[in-house]
Amino acid sequence: MKIAVEKDQDKPLLTDGHHTVEITRIDEGTSEYKGIPFFTCRFENEEGYVSQRFYQSPAGMPAIVNLFKTAGIDVKEGAELDTKQLLHKTLDIEVGERSYNDPETGNERTLKQATNFLLS
């Protein structure tokens, strides 16, 4: 089997801590277990990347609003936000690990995540 490595796929995950990053990619999807819409941002710099999902749910909206505000995008009640507006925005993030129980297996899983979005 031949596997093609596309641009920037050879980058490592960002180390834990503070990073100034650019949002280089946005993908959309639906959660595997509850069918909740989400978008994923790829936060990237010369050192590596981290991808973060943002769920369009009541619990996820504060993080989405904070991300848009941090990216310098005005957020008003009743407005529709377009994730394409986030592309190529530069911001500061904190990278760390988060553990949770996999709903399918019950096993604990750990993933890298971005938090504390700050305008750079």
Side-chain angles (χ1 to χ4, degrees), residues 5-58:
V5 178
E6 296 177 14
K7 182 181 185 289
D8 295 325
Q9 287 181 328
D10 59 339
K11 283 190 170 185
L13 288 173
L14 288 170
T15 57
D16 290 356
H18 178 89
H19 295 275
T20 300
V21 295
E22 177 184 351
I23 299 173
T24 59
R25 182 175 170 173
I26 296 177
D27 296 307
E28 298 176 358
T30 305
S31 68
E32 299 85 351
Y33 303 107
K34 295 186 178 181
I36 299 170
F38 69 83
F39 65 95
T40 302
C41 288
R42 180 178 169 113
F43 299 103
E44 188 171 349
N45 63 22
E46 301 78 32
E47 299 169 23
Y49 78 97
V50 66
S51 293
Q52 177 71 40
R53 279 188 180 182
F54 294 87
Y55 289 94
Q56 189 178 339
S57 67

Side-chain angles (χ1 to χ4, degrees), residues 33-112:
Y33 303 107
K34 295 186 178 181
I36 299 170
F38 69 83
F39 65 95
T40 302
C41 288
R42 180 178 169 113
F43 299 103
E44 188 171 349
N45 63 22
E46 301 78 32
E47 299 169 23
Y49 78 97
V50 66
S51 293
Q52 177 71 40
R53 279 188 180 182
F54 294 87
Y55 289 94
Q56 189 178 339
S57 67
M61 283 308 294
I64 292 172
V65 168
N66 187 35
L67 175 64
F68 274 81
K69 285 182 175 179
T70 300
I73 298 165
D74 194 27
V75 177
K76 293 182 180 174
E77 183 178 337
E80 286 191 1
L81 301 172
D82 185 348
T83 57
K84 292 177 186 174
Q85 294 175 288
L86 295 169
L87 276 174
H88 307 294
K89 297 290 186 180
T90 300
L91 56 148
D92 290 349
I93 62 171
E94 292 292 326
V95 175
E97 292 185 347
R98 177 177 72 87
S99 296
Y100 68 98
N101 289 329
D102 184 315
E104 191 170 287
T105 65
N107 295 332
E108 184 176 78
R109 295 184 63 188
T110 301
L111 53 82
K112 287 266 191 187

